[in-house]
Amino acid sequence: MAERLRVGILGATGTVGQRFIQLLEGHPFFEVTWLAASDRSTGRHYEDAVRWKLDTSIPAAVRSLPLSPATPGEAANPAPSIIFAALDTDIARELEPQFAAAGCAVISNSSAFRMQEDVPLVIPEVNAAHLPLIELQSWRKQSGGFIVTNPNCSAIGLVLALKPLADRFGIEGIFVSTMQAISGAGYPGVPSLDILGNVVPFIRNEEEKMEAETMKLLGTLEGAAVRPYAARMSAHCNRVAVEDGHTESVSIKLRTPATREQVLAAWSEFQPLAQYQLPTAPAQPVEFLAAEDRPQPRLDRMRGAGMATTVGRLRPCSLLDWKFTVLSHNTIRGAAGAALLNAELLMQMGELSGTRAAHSVTAGTAVSA
Ligand SMILES: NC(=O)c1ccc[n+]([C@@H]2O[C@H](COP(=O)([O-])OP(=O)(O)OC[C@H]3O[C@@H](n4cnc5c(N)ncnc54)[C@H](OP(=O)(O)O)[C@@H]3O)[C@@H](O)[C@H]2O)c1
């Protein structure tokens, strides 16, 4: 059996934490050996602490793992190489640097460090070229640890659809209106009396995050910083009574005109990870559906095992050039799956060997690499 790296999960009991547990079951590169959440959970076995909400069983290998205090000193000995972090922003701002300083590769879902100049904000298919920023981080220089972030759950789906078009035609303007699932607010999330039979046209800081993150993701690494992509963008974010899957209505203005066939070709030929063998990467990152009423969250969110962005309804826009619909799974492609794909890419690029604990486990027995 191939050696696997030890990984820990911060926020393991939450909405995104549960997805990590699910997606990491039987993973060929990584083995979950350490879990942490809040003080409410510390000391309990995972199956007793978690309110498991997924439609698969809790993996046997983690059921009786204990929840540790969320400090690097408490990380199991030998310590995990990678910490997948699924914490609220304020807590992430405090805890994630502690783990990076202790030599861990911290792969973060929160917005705490996404826009920090020396922290890469990465979607592997879009801007893997930004990963060298980790070499500028003080944690990397001192302990080998670093922080890499994945984007806001609405920005990921949108940017996957935009990137092939930005590369071929350039994009001048983006208008997007989202219909975001309630699981995007974590558990227990939006009260049922606020969302059932309703639409809430406000998600705090979401529009600002979408606009800023989209420009950083499509930007260019120049020396010690990313030069943001130069396009105008307006985002409207709404919460709707859908369990999982964010839907987005998008209009774009291109720099160079493109026909419908050229737009479709840009999406279908988008295969930027072909050189890597990444278990979580979807075969087709951007899938176009020709049916006039697709994509829909209930029917299409699990395409590519929840890692594909689905696009449909491509048609001319009378204000800009083209308009279309985008759908992506917010807790898989928009969160845990995105972080896992970043970790797989970092591993294939050899970036995990410098971390504190390049410890591996073979056939369930701990050994040091
Ligand atoms: N949900 C999504 O679709 C989504 C998508 C992209 C990004 N994100 C981001 O991912 C992060 C986590 O979101 P979520 O939806 O999973 O939230 P959540 O369901 O509320 O889960 C929060 C987790 O953090 C733990 N926690 C709370 N206080 C803590 C503390 N002081 N120290 C350590 N752990 C603590 C909780 O543990 P207890 O169970 O012990 O309370 C729980 O495990 C957020 O930054 C969110 O913005 C979420």
Side-chain angles (χ1 to χ4, degrees):
M1 184 178 174
E3 291 187 340
R4 296 195 287 169
L5 287 181
R6 295 170 178 277
V7 306
I9 303 171
L10 272 173
T13 52
T15 302
V16 177
Q18 292 181 34
R19 278 288 177 202
F20 274 124
I21 301 274
Q22 183 189 52
L23 296 177
L24 283 161
E25 183 176 20
H27 195 281
F29 299 171
F30 307 127
E31 172 151 337
V32 179
T33 59
W34 183 82
L35 303 173
S38 77
D39 293 346
R40 291 180 288 280
S41 305
T42 301
R44 300 165 78 187
H45 288 145
Y46 186 72
E47 66 181 345
D48 299 327
V50 72
R51 280 178 288 196
W52 186 257
K53 296 292 175 190
L54 299 179
D55 57 7
T56 54
S57 301
I58 302 176
V62 300
R63 252 179 240 152
S64 56
L65 274 186
L67 271 298
S68 299
T71 59
E74 302 290 340
N77 190 16
S81 307
I82 302 173
I83 294 289
F84 289 113
L87 299 169
D88 284 341
T89 299
D90 289 345
I91 305 161
R93 194 169 285 121
E94 180 193 335
L95 292 185
E96 289 176 359
Q98 295 178 20
F99 283 83
C104 299
V106 178
I107 319 284
S108 169
N109 272 284
S110 91
S111 61
F113 296 100
R114 285 181 194 148
M115 296 307 293
Q116 185 165 306
E117 202 168 74
D118 61 1
V119 173
L121 171 67
V122 172
I123 302 172
E125 293 94 333
V126 171
N127 63 331
H130 295 185
L131 283 170
L133 279 175
I134 61 175
E135 303 304 338
L136 304 175
Q137 296 178 7
S138 57
W139 310 298
R140 180 68 160 174
K141 291 172 188 161
Q142 285 154 20
S143 67
F146 56 84
I147 298 179
V148 168
T149 59
N150 43 274
N152 170 278
C153 44
S154 295
I156 291 188
L158 174 70
V159 173
L160 272 165
L162 294 181
K163 174 66 174 170
L165 310 183
D167 285 351
R168 290 201 183 179
F169 318 115
I171 296 177
E172 219 171 276
I174 305 156
F175 175 88
V176 57
S177 185
T178 70
M179 290 151 272
Q180 299 184 214
I182 42 180
S183 61
Y187 190 85
V190 188
S192 56
L193 285 176
D194 287 346
I195 196 68
L196 285 178
N198 202 14
V199 170
V200 180
F202 177 69
I203 305 174
R204 189 170 303 284
N205 297 327
E206 195 81 347
E207 293 169 354
E208 295 83 350
K209 281 189 229 170
M210 269 194 91
E211 292 171 4
E213 291 177 22
T214 296
M215 296 308 140
K216 184 171 180 181
L217 287 158
L218 293 175
T220 310
L221 180 61
E222 288 181 354
V226 172
R227 180 167 52 83
Y229 194 74
R232 297 181 68 197
M233 176 168 171
S234 176
H236 297 238
C237 294
N238 305 284
R239 187 76 70 194
V240 297
V242 166
E243 192 185 345
D244 289 314
H246 290 352
T247 307
E248 308 180 33
S249 297
V250 186
S251 285
I252 54 167
K253 174 94 187 141
L254 298 174
R255 289 186 194 285
T256 309
T259 64
R260 175 183 170 85
E261 289 65 37
Q262 288 172 320
V263 170
L264 294 178
W267 282 330
S268 68
E269 291 164 15
F270 186 59
Q271 292 288 346
L273 296 178
Q275 72 201 87
Y276 298 104
Q277 301 289 318
L278 306 182
T280 301
Q284 186 69 44
V286 182
E287 273 189 47
F288 177 76
L289 300 183
E292 63 182 7
D293 60 353
R294 304 285 277 274
Q296 296 180 19
R298 190 143 37 93
L299 301 179
D300 299 311
R301 64 191 166 210
M302 288 309 293
R303 286 178 181 270
M307 288 296 287
T309 274
T310 313
V311 290
R313 301 211 65 225
L314 178 66
R315 60 222 191 273
C317 173
S318 54
L319 288 180
L320 303 179
D321 289 330
W322 288 103
K323 54 182 175 179
F324 49 88
T325 304
V326 169
L327 170 75
S328 59
H329 196 302
N330 54 295
T331 65
I332 302 179
R333 177 45 104 160
L340 187 51
L341 193 58
N342 275 342
E344 291 171 359
L345 180 64
L346 285 160
M347 181 151 173
Q348 294 286 30
M349 293 170 71
E351 295 293 350
L352 296 178
S353 53
T355 54
R356 146 171 97 166
H359 290 294
S360 57
V361 285
T362 306
T365 310
V367 292
S368 277

